[in-house]
Amino acid sequence: MSSIAVPRPLTPRRAWLTDLPVLLVAVVWGASYLAAKDITTGRTVLAVLVLRFTVVLPALALVARRSLCGLTAAQWRGAALLGLILGGIFLLETYGVVHTSATNAGLIISLTMIFTPLAEAAVTRVRPPRAFLAAAGLSVLGVVLLTQGGGFTRPSLGDLLMLLAALARTVHVLAMSRIKAVQGADALSLTTVQLGAAVAVFAVLSFGADATPWATAAGFGAREWAGLLFLSVCCTLFAFFVQMWAVRRTSPSRVSLLLGTEPLWAAAAGIVLGGERLGALGLTGGALVLVGTAWGRRSAG
């Protein structure tokens, strides 16, 4: 009979030492929208994505080399399929943040926490709790107000792309839970294959483009390289390893709760560092999104 290792209850000091790195991941993820917006234009989206993940992929592959060799053919195919979906998510998010504010991007993408339980309920045909439906309605109202901060106008292209990215994230989560082949694979090898497949998609799409990865890299100054390394090292490599480290020392629910503060940090970065302004309607909408997603997470769990 196999036993499941359950993390021991943490003392307040140990809990703080575990929570702080996870909270830092939420902070850098929140800041990633502003960083991506700062170094990317509509012409360079594909080039920046290739550069961002090419920087970290060799390190991941080196660490995961043993587990990668142990993957079955079905696991490789399943992980590659997930990587194609992941590539679509990054494309939508990056093009989206180019065409909207970093604040809007971070808050709209948080709707994934509402869309995922709704999609799961539709697939399993199990009606979600009324409290969750109320939270979903509150979040949707918040997004409407958020995107209409300057008065009721048509949402921007970036807002719509971020909404599609939130739906794509939902598809990715459902696919991970339904592709049986990948369920036995460890997280490190699965992530490595997914990122590799996503980079392959970006590289193929960038062939013949005006802004190639190499030309874009050659045109980067110190600021752009700092932004790229922040996205690669902090928002990808550091974030992944902190999550793996944290779930072995605390509960997945606690990790999820801390990472759920990402939209709050995205809004803070956009307003404080990016000089973005929401207006009264936008601030109200942003607050409703945060309240709705937090409420929805609790009622769905």
Side-chain angles (χ1 to χ4, degrees):
M1 180 176 180
S2 60
S3 60
I4 299 176
V6 179
R8 296 178 180 179
L10 298 178
T11 64
R13 178 178 173 80
R14 286 188 62 201
W16 172 248
L17 291 175
T18 301
D19 289 350
L20 187 59
V22 179
L23 188 61
L24 186 56
V25 169
V27 172
V28 298
W29 276 356
S32 68
Y33 299 101
L34 184 62
K37 186 175 182 66
D38 192 47
I39 69 170
T40 313
T41 67
R43 293 179 61 254
T44 62
V45 166
L46 288 168
V48 169
L49 285 172
V50 171
L51 294 170
R52 173 181 175 178
F53 295 108
T54 300
V55 169
V56 298
L57 196 57
L60 282 175
L62 181 64
V63 176
R65 62 189 184 281
R66 291 185 180 178
S67 54
L68 285 171
C69 292
L71 292 178
T72 65
Q75 288 173 330
W76 275 95
R77 288 194 298 269
L81 176 59
L82 291 173
L84 296 180
I85 301 173
L86 189 65
I89 294 170
F90 281 117
L91 284 170
L92 289 168
E93 287 183 357
T94 311
Y95 276 113
V97 80
V98 166
H99 296 287
T100 189
S101 68
T103 304
N104 279 23
L107 290 169
I108 293 173
I109 202 66
S110 70
L111 287 178
T112 302
M113 290 180 280
I114 295 295
F115 290 158
T116 301
L118 286 175
E120 191 172 13
V123 170
T124 60
R125 298 186 179 181
V126 176
R127 184 181 177 84
R130 290 183 179 179
F132 178 81
L133 294 176
L138 191 66
S139 297
V140 171
L141 174 61
V143 168
V144 172
L145 295 179
L146 175 69
T147 59
Q148 306 304 314
F152 284 94
T153 58
R154 182 179 301 175
S156 71
L157 173 62
D159 294 332
L160 295 176
L161 289 173
M162 294 308 300
L163 190 61
L164 289 175
L167 290 170
R169 280 195 184 191
T170 298
V171 172
H172 186 258
V173 171
L174 291 180
M176 285 190 69
S177 66
R178 301 229 160 225
I179 299 177
K180 294 182 179 179
V182 302
Q183 293 173 9
D186 71 284
L188 179 57
S189 59
L190 184 61
T191 300
T192 304
V193 175
Q194 286 187 80
L195 288 181
V199 170
V201 170
F202 305 147
V204 169
L205 292 177
S206 67
F207 282 152
D210 293 336
T212 64
W214 328 122
T216 300
F220 275 180
R223 177 177 179 144
E224 289 79 11
W225 275 111
L228 181 68
L229 291 175
F230 173 76
L231 290 170
S232 299
V233 178
C234 297
C235 301
T236 306
L237 198 61
F238 167 76
F240 173 74
F241 282 108
V242 165
Q243 287 182 85
M244 287 191 63
W245 171 81
V247 294
R248 291 181 173 90
R249 289 162 175 79
T250 185
S251 68
S253 298
R254 192 178 182 94
V255 173
S256 176
L257 183 64
L258 291 166
L259 293 179
T261 63
E262 175 192 344
L264 178 62
W265 301 112
I271 294 170
V272 176
L273 300 178
E276 298 174 354
R277 296 292 179 265
L278 289 178
L281 276 179
L283 287 171
T284 302
L288 290 179
V289 171
L290 293 173
V291 171
T293 52
W295 182 18
R297 189 188 303 111
R298 285 197 300 270
S299 59

